[in-house]
Structure formats: structure tokens, C-alpha cells
Amino acid sequence: MAEFLTIGEPMAVFASEDVDQSLVDAKKFSKFAAGAELNVAIGVSRLRHSAAYVTAVGDDPFGEFLIKAMGNTGVDAKYVKKNPEFWTGFYLKERVSHGDPSTFYYRKNSAAAHYRMKDLDEINLDEIKIAHLSGIFAAISDGDLEVLKELGKRLQEKGKLITFDPNLRPALWASQERMVEVTNELAKMATIVVPGVNEGKILVNSDDPETIANFYLNQGNQTKAVIVKVGPKGAYIRQKNQPGRVVEGFKVDKVVDTVGAGDGFAVGLITGLLEGLSLDDTVKRGCAVGALAVMSPGDNDGYPTPEELNNFMN
């Protein structure tokens, strides 16, 4: 049985090998498995914790590729459903030497967007210690939003620790107002909320880490801690009834690809919690995995083994 569970939309990504060329001009691409929540599951598994992933894929080559990738990385795919009526999403991604790459998605009406509520009944939550939820799954369809709420409710009823990353994707929402309303409502389910400082500008109208943290701590009784990612500077931690503090990040000599850094932070956070580390040490690990992520071209290729993580942090 898995000790970690997440739900999301997996995708095949075709990443350009031509640095700083537009997708129009790029000629060579490499294929990777991607999707924010799948990235987290792969990273948790790579750090030798059992991880299960919940989703639906099409009965097509991309779906087979993703299931195979899960198997190759140790992610339990028994809760991955095949739906032959819909297809598996994929996207194209630029390779850039600095900044965030341009992306082009083909995900509308995907199999994951049609995940069936009844399939939640097959999921055994008894041995799960931590579940990771994301705003992306809620954004891809109204049905998935209801599925995410129901899964969160079941996790709460069983007293499971829930981490929540807003993972804002404005292009997937009908409006920014709707995105903000739903995302902040979903955050109430979480034990730990993990927004980025730039997401705070949109979600709470502030880029001040303390203001962001206070908003989420005050909006619901479930939330016990908020960790605001502040990029290379590290992260700001605020727990209920405790003063906030900053955990410093790690310097990176060369940024290859910034995609997957936030998911890498979640990997470090979740595995640190599973191993009983202090929250400060857990956040430090999150910063380390995020730093390693930006030094590799794939969305999750840079996530380390325990030995690689220890070498980097030491």
C-alpha cells in the first residue's frame, strides 16, 4: 500500500532541444512524462517512498507511455483508469536559458477531464499518510472540481494530512474571479497550503509572504501551516500561533528549465514530513529539490535520489 497519494492530469511533453528558439523554429524535441501532480508522485517515489497516482488516460500511445513511465519510476498506477472515449493530453515546451519557457497545450476534453466520481470508491485511503492536491485538476473540468472536493472530504474524514498547491493556470479557468474563488475555497481543505509569492498577488492581492500566510491561516480551521515560496530566496513559514520565519534557498549555477521547480519543492516538503523532519528542515529539503529541478531539461528529470539529495544539501 502507498503512503502518499495524489490526483491530477498526466501529459506527454515534447520539450525542444534547441535553446532559446521559438516553438515555431525548433526542430528537435524530446518526450517526457509530465503533469504537476505526476511530477510530485515521481519525485516522492525517487526518494524511496511509496506513491500512488489517481487519474484517467486515453486508450492511446500517450496513455500507454505515461503508464509505462509511472512503472519505470516506481509510481503505483493501479488507480489510473483507461477511458477509450477520450484522449490523453500533451503539450509542447520551449527550452530557454533564463526565465519561464513558452508552452502550447493540447489538453481540452482529455480523458483526465472526464474522471468519473464512482472511481473514487476503489481508492483505499487507510494506509495513506499524506495526500497532495492541486488547483490544476479542479480547473480542467467542472466534474473534476467535484471529484477533487469529494476526495478532499474523504481524506479529511480519515484525518489525513493534506498539502495544497494552488498551481494557478489562468488559461484553464473561465475567469480570474472564478479561479481565485475556487482556489481559495479548496485551500480550506488543506493542512498545509503552499502558494508561490507571485500567486499571492492574484489570490490575496499581496506579494507580502506574511500577508499571504495570514490569509490562509485565518480562513479555515483545517490549515495548520502556510509555506510561501519566494523563489531563489527560499520560503517563508508561518504556523498558527507562531511567528513567521524564512528558510533560505540554494544557489544554482545554471538554470536549464524552471518548469517543475514548484513541484520539486512539494516533493521535498512531503518526503520530509513522511520522514518526521522538523518543518524547517522539511522546507529546506523542498528548496533543495526545487533547485535541483531547474538544472535539468525535463519537468521531473532533476528530482534526486536520496544520495543525490544528501550530496547536494551537504
Side-chain angles (χ1 to χ4, degrees), residues 144-174:
D144 282 359
L145 172 58
E146 295 308 310
V147 165
L148 193 68
K149 289 179 178 178
E150 178 61 24
L151 178 59
K153 177 184 175 182
R154 296 183 188 189
L155 289 163
Q156 284 180 311
E157 289 173 348
K158 287 186 173 289
K160 305 300 181 180
L161 191 155
I162 301 171
T163 57
F164 178 74
D165 187 337
N167 258 327
L168 297 183
R169 299 292 188 274
L172 297 177
W173 292 94

Side-chain angles (χ1 to χ4, degrees), residues 8 33 57 97 105 112 114 149 185 188 194 200 211-212 224 311:
V57 297
S97 57
Y105 288 88
H114 292 84
K149 289 179 178 178
E185 188 65 25
K188 293 179 181 179
V194 193
T211 301
I212 297 168
K224 306 303 180 186
N311 288 339

Side-chain angles (χ1 to χ4, degrees), residues 52-118:
Y53 184 61
V54 179
T55 193
V57 297
D59 188 9
D60 52 42
F62 288 161
E64 292 289 348
F65 164 72
L66 289 165
I67 292 173
K68 185 176 181 180
M70 293 176 211
N72 290 340
T73 54
V75 175
D76 189 342
K78 67 182 174 184
Y79 298 133
V80 177
K81 295 293 183 179
K82 277 191 178 180
N83 189 334
E85 297 181 25
F86 303 99
W87 65 327
T88 307
F90 67 97
Y91 73 99
L92 307 176
K93 180 176 71 172
E94 284 183 337
R95 183 176 178 183
V96 294
S97 57
H98 59 278
D100 293 329
S102 295
T103 54
F104 198 88
Y105 288 88
Y106 298 83
R107 70 194 304 178
K108 188 176 182 180
N109 211 33
S110 68
H114 292 84
Y115 185 87
R116 296 169 297 194
M117 181 74 77
K118 66 178 184 179

Side-chain angles (χ1 to χ4, degrees), residues 194-209:
V194 193
V197 68
N198 290 327
E199 291 176 322
K201 295 179 185 179
I202 298 171
L203 293 170
V204 305
N205 297 312
S206 176
D207 60 0
D208 173 57

Side-chain angles (χ1 to χ4, degrees), residues 20-281:
D20 293 330
Q21 279 199 334
S22 70
L23 290 174
V24 174
D25 297 323
K27 296 180 179 179
K28 296 181 180 180
F29 293 82
S30 296
K31 184 173 68 173
F32 300 96
E37 302 86 358
L38 178 56
N39 290 340
V40 176
I42 289 173
V44 168
S45 177
R46 198 165 286 161
L47 285 174
R48 297 180 190 154
H49 291 277
S50 53
Y53 184 61
V54 179
T55 193
V57 297
D59 188 9
D60 52 42
F62 288 161
E64 292 289 348
F65 164 72
L66 289 165
I67 292 173
K68 185 176 181 180
M70 293 176 211
N72 290 340
T73 54
V75 175
D76 189 342
K78 67 182 174 184
Y79 298 133
V80 177
K81 295 293 183 179
K82 277 191 178 180
N83 189 334
E85 297 181 25
F86 303 99
W87 65 327
T88 307
F90 67 97
Y91 73 99
L92 307 176
K93 180 176 71 172
E94 284 183 337
R95 183 176 178 183
V96 294
S97 57
H98 59 278
D100 293 329
S102 295
T103 54
F104 198 88
Y105 288 88
Y106 298 83
R107 70 194 304 178
K108 188 176 182 180
N109 211 33
S110 68
H114 292 84
Y115 185 87
R116 296 169 297 194
M117 181 74 77
K118 66 178 184 179
D119 290 333
L120 287 180
D121 295 338
E122 298 180 18
I123 301 172
N124 186 342
L125 300 177
D126 291 342
E127 301 300 322
I128 299 298
K129 296 178 181 177
I130 298 177
H132 180 68
L133 307 181
S134 160
I136 299 176
F137 193 71
I140 62 177
S141 72
D142 290 340
D144 282 359
L145 172 58
E146 295 308 310
V147 165
L148 193 68
K149 289 179 178 178
E150 178 61 24
L151 178 59
K153 177 184 175 182
R154 296 183 188 189
L155 289 163
Q156 284 180 311
E157 289 173 348
K158 287 186 173 289
K160 305 300 181 180
L161 191 155
I162 301 171
T163 57
F164 178 74
D165 187 337
N167 258 327
L168 297 183
R169 299 292 188 274
L172 297 177
W173 292 94
S175 67
Q176 179 165 304
E177 292 74 18
R178 176 66 173 164
M179 176 178 71
V180 170
E181 175 190 4
V182 173
T183 303
N184 286 340
E185 188 65 25
L186 291 172
K188 293 179 181 179
M189 300 188 299
T191 318
I192 302 176
V193 183
V194 193
V197 68
N198 290 327
E199 291 176 322
K201 295 179 185 179
I202 298 171
L203 293 170
V204 305
N205 297 312
S206 176
D207 60 0
D208 173 57
E210 184 176 8
T211 301
I212 297 168
N214 287 341
F215 174 88
Y216 289 109
L217 284 173
N218 293 332
Q219 78 159 359
N221 294 326
Q222 181 74 12
T223 303
K224 306 303 180 186
V226 179
I227 301 165
V228 183
K229 296 169 287 188
V230 292
K233 295 180 181 179
Y236 175 86
I237 306 172
R238 181 73 193 278
Q239 295 168 272
K240 278 194 173 180
N241 303 318
Q242 293 187 25
R245 66 262 190 203
V246 174
V247 172
E248 292 185 359
F250 291 84
K251 291 183 179 180
V252 174
D253 293 331
K254 182 180 179 181
V255 175
V256 175
D257 187 344
T258 58
V259 175
D263 301 328
F265 183 90
V267 169
L269 173 68
I270 290 161
T271 56
L273 292 170
L274 287 171
E275 294 170 24
L277 301 182
S278 70
L279 190 56
D280 287 53
D281 287 344

Side-chain angles (χ1 to χ4, degrees), residues 264-314:
F265 183 90
V267 169
L269 173 68
I270 290 161
T271 56
L273 292 170
L274 287 171
E275 294 170 24
L277 301 182
S278 70
L279 190 56
D280 287 53
D281 287 344
T282 291
V283 170
K284 191 72 172 180
R285 175 183 283 198
C287 292
V289 179
L292 286 164
V294 304
M295 294 189 282
S296 296
D299 287 17
N300 51 59
D301 278 24
Y303 297 166
T305 63
E307 295 77 15
E308 290 167 342
L309 179 60
N310 288 334
N311 288 339
F312 179 78
M313 294 188 71
N314 292 330

